[in-house]
Amino acid sequence: MPSVIVHYQEIALKGRNRPWFVERLVTNVRTAMAGVDGVKVRALMGRIELQHASDGDWPEVRERLSRMPGIANFLRAVPAACDFDAIADTVLAELDGVEADSFRVTARRADKRFPLTSPQIERNLGGRIKAAKGWRVDLDRPALTVRVEVLADRAFCCLRKEPGAGGLPSGASGRVACLLSGGIDSPVAAWRMIKRGCRVRLVHFHSYPILSRTSQDKVAEIAALLTRRQLQSRLYVVAFGEIQRRVVLAVPPPLRVVVYRRLMLRIAERIARTSGSAALVTGEAVGQVASQTLDNMAVIDAAASLPVLRPLVGMDKDEIVNEARRLGTYEVSIIPDEDCCTLFTPKHPATRATVRQLDEAETALPVDALVEEAAGAAERLDLRFPPAADARA
Ligand code: ATP
Ligand code: MG
């Protein structure tokens, strides 16, 4: 039965909370593997062991693990008895047909009762491999690293280390609500918070039927991609077109974008409070567009009482784009779409709005009633990964 050894790193540092973090990660891995044949997941001496029945499922298992926050790396592992000769035989069998001109052995001994120390395992096993394959030992830049992990009742032999997403297990850090447009930035902002262990609720504002349904379709697709990582999402879809119409009638053009943002934030905050979220998240970055100056951010913040987190605040656009590509959201984000905030928006929005200006402009609007009505009418969609149809297990 193939095994996979999953390593966590950061959660190993969490002191007395560590068992709780590990349990969280074990539960998440179990959830993510639903539908994989014969899957078993358990915590095992500072790592997690995952077993599954069929080799054919490995690409799917790898794909699912690589997306999850809280995993430093993982390795496909062949178990061997806790005995040096058994380990060496297993490794040599695994190396059958493998070509490499240089190699090294890295051993970790989690159970100190094993008679050889890690350096001794490395030296002795290195000698065997060298004799059998004729490869050169290269400790610094080996073409192949053979990894051996010795636990209490078994050892594991591994050839390839797969990178994990890093961060903390989903659900370990509380809940936040992210304002998710169909653009490039906000999905990356949501991912940053997912990666820090937050469960991220998603709030989208659309202007249907004034504009097309495209933004809603894009956001549904982006939400599904994020759900593959955080395993459960809740998407709130808020009708914003009528509010924009009211803003246009009441607010001078240069202030409109900031008013839209402040209203979005207030509505998102109302939703956040009912869903137990402790902070709001946006995809803003300093100076990226005229509406994202430091002055405007301060004015936007003043509309909310929950903290507004901006995980991308110091990033360049190309850094964000690269991350969106890795995340898989980029292709969806670039589908042409009319942004609901460019609707009724002047060419030159105020870049240095003040709270006083905004408060004054907003007296022309029934802000509380608009916020309450929009939040109350929000549509709610719960998403899970794997989707129910796949979750046979
Ligand atoms: P993005 O690529 O995330 O849309 P952007 O660079 O286009 O960002 P803006 O349109 O100014 O920037 O939006 C700034 C932030 O406000 C977004 O990152 C997002 O968090 C929020 N936001 C903007 N429009 C919407 C919307 N229609 N629904 C939800 N949130 C939105
Ligand atoms: Mg946008």
Side-chain angles (χ1 to χ4, degrees), residues 174-180 186 189-190 193-194 198-205 230 234-236 264-283 306-311:
R175 232 175 259 161
V176 297
C178 179
L179 284 78
L180 187 73
S186 43
M193 299 313 296
I194 291 172
C198 292
R199 284 243 196 272
V200 181
R201 306 288 209 210
L202 307 166
V203 185
H204 175 64
F205 298 87
Q230 67 171 345
R234 181 167 289 174
L235 170 63
Y236 294 88
M264 281 186 182
L265 220 59
R266 290 186 182 105
I267 295 165
E269 177 164 277
R270 182 70 60 99
I271 290 171
R273 289 199 186 280
T274 60
S275 72
S277 297
L280 302 171
V281 178
T282 78
L306 287 177
V308 181
L309 307 179
R310 297 182 171 90

Side-chain angles (χ1 to χ4, degrees), residues 243-302:
I243 294 183
Q244 286 180 294
R245 239 203 272 264
R246 305 279 295 259
V247 171
V248 169
L249 294 177
V251 175
L255 295 181
R256 283 179 197 161
V257 181
V258 179
V259 171
Y260 295 152
R261 265 313 160 267
R262 280 163 58 100
L263 287 166
M264 281 186 182
L265 220 59
R266 290 186 182 105
I267 295 165
E269 177 164 277
R270 182 70 60 99
I271 290 171
R273 289 199 186 280
T274 60
S275 72
S277 297
L280 302 171
V281 178
T282 78
E284 292 162 300
V286 170
Q288 198 195 78
V289 290
S291 58
Q292 298 179 18
T293 61
L294 286 178
D295 289 304
N296 284 353
M297 285 185 192
V299 172
I300 291 167
D301 280 359

Side-chain angles (χ1 to χ4, degrees), residues 6 22-36 38-44 48-51 64-65 68 71 231 385-386 391-393:
V6 176
V22 173
E23 201 37 56
R24 187 93 242 172
L25 185 56
V26 167
T27 305
N28 291 351
V29 172
R30 252 182 222 136
T31 304
M33 294 301 144
V36 172
V39 76
K40 282 196 205 126
V41 183
R42 60 173 179 150
L44 186 66
I48 290 170
E49 183 191 10
L50 184 162
Q51 293 177 306
R64 292 187 191 184
L65 285 176
M68 291 180 66
I71 294 176
L231 307 178
F385 184 84
R392 279 175 278 132

Side-chain angles (χ1 to χ4, degrees), residues 71-374:
I71 294 176
N73 57 67
F74 56 97
L75 307 101
R76 189 153 179 68
V78 182
C82 259
D83 163 83
F84 179 75
D85 285 325
I87 294 171
D89 290 346
T90 305
V91 167
L92 288 171
E94 280 302 294
L95 291 177
D96 191 33
V98 174
E99 283 311 323
D101 53 2
S102 63
F103 77 105
R104 68 163 293 164
V105 178
T106 300
R108 282 161 87 177
R109 189 179 58 145
D111 188 336
K112 306 298 178 203
R113 288 171 304 179
F114 191 76
L116 300 178
T117 63
S118 298
Q120 285 170 331
I121 300 172
E122 290 172 357
R123 257 195 315 272
N124 296 0
L125 185 56
R128 287 270 191 101
I129 295 171
K130 198 164 174 225
K133 308 289 284 186
W135 298 339
R136 173 171 59 83
V137 174
D138 184 339
L139 297 182
D140 297 323
R141 311 190 61 180
L144 179 78
T145 299
V146 175
R147 291 188 167 77
V148 175
E149 302 202 5
V150 183
L151 308 188
D153 58 345
R154 267 170 319 158
F156 288 99
C157 309
C158 321
L159 295 187
R160 262 182 66 95
K161 183 148 99 176
E162 310 283 343
L168 295 169
S170 190
S173 310
R175 232 175 259 161
V176 297
C178 179
L179 284 78
L180 187 73
S181 71
I184 295 170
D185 305 322
S186 43
V188 176
W191 163 239
R192 284 287 173 115
M193 299 313 296
I194 291 172
K195 194 173 151 173
R196 294 311 301 161
C198 292
R199 284 243 196 272
V200 181
R201 306 288 209 210
L202 307 166
V203 185
H204 175 64
F205 298 87
H206 70 82
S207 305
Y208 181 82
I210 304 171
L211 298 179
S212 75
R213 273 192 186 280
T214 312
S215 80
Q216 289 177 72
D217 296 342
K218 288 171 66 176
V219 161
E221 219 173 310
I222 289 167
L225 289 169
L226 294 171
T227 306
R228 295 172 86 89
R229 296 173 178 273
Q230 67 171 345
L231 307 178
Q232 47 175 284
S233 303
R234 181 167 289 174
L235 170 63
Y236 294 88
V237 179
V238 183
F240 200 63
E242 191 45 41
I243 294 183
Q244 286 180 294
R245 239 203 272 264
R246 305 279 295 259
V247 171
V248 169
L249 294 177
V251 175
L255 295 181
R256 283 179 197 161
V257 181
V258 179
V259 171
Y260 295 152
R261 265 313 160 267
R262 280 163 58 100
L263 287 166
M264 281 186 182
L265 220 59
R266 290 186 182 105
I267 295 165
E269 177 164 277
R270 182 70 60 99
I271 290 171
R273 289 199 186 280
T274 60
S275 72
S277 297
L280 302 171
V281 178
T282 78
E284 292 162 300
V286 170
Q288 198 195 78
V289 290
S291 58
Q292 298 179 18
T293 61
L294 286 178
D295 289 304
N296 284 353
M297 285 185 192
V299 172
I300 291 167
D301 280 359
S305 53
L306 287 177
V308 181
L309 307 179
R310 297 182 171 90
L312 313 186
V313 73
M315 288 175 78
D316 293 347
K317 190 73 186 188
D318 60 343
E319 293 172 319
I320 299 170
V321 164
N322 287 339
E323 194 153 333
R325 284 186 203 277
R326 285 195 295 275
L327 199 56
T329 52
Y330 180 76
E331 303 306 323
V332 183
S333 295
I334 58 171
I335 295 170
D337 173 19
E338 299 158 296
D339 187 327
C340 80
C341 287
T342 55
L343 185 67
F344 316 122
T345 295
K347 284 209 173 57
H348 301 290
T351 52
R352 306 196 61 181
T354 64
V355 174
R356 248 189 52 206
Q357 270 178 316
L358 266 291
D359 285 344
E360 200 178 303
E362 286 171 0
T363 55
L365 292 165
V367 170
D368 289 345
L370 292 178
V371 168
E372 190 144 338
E373 192 186 327

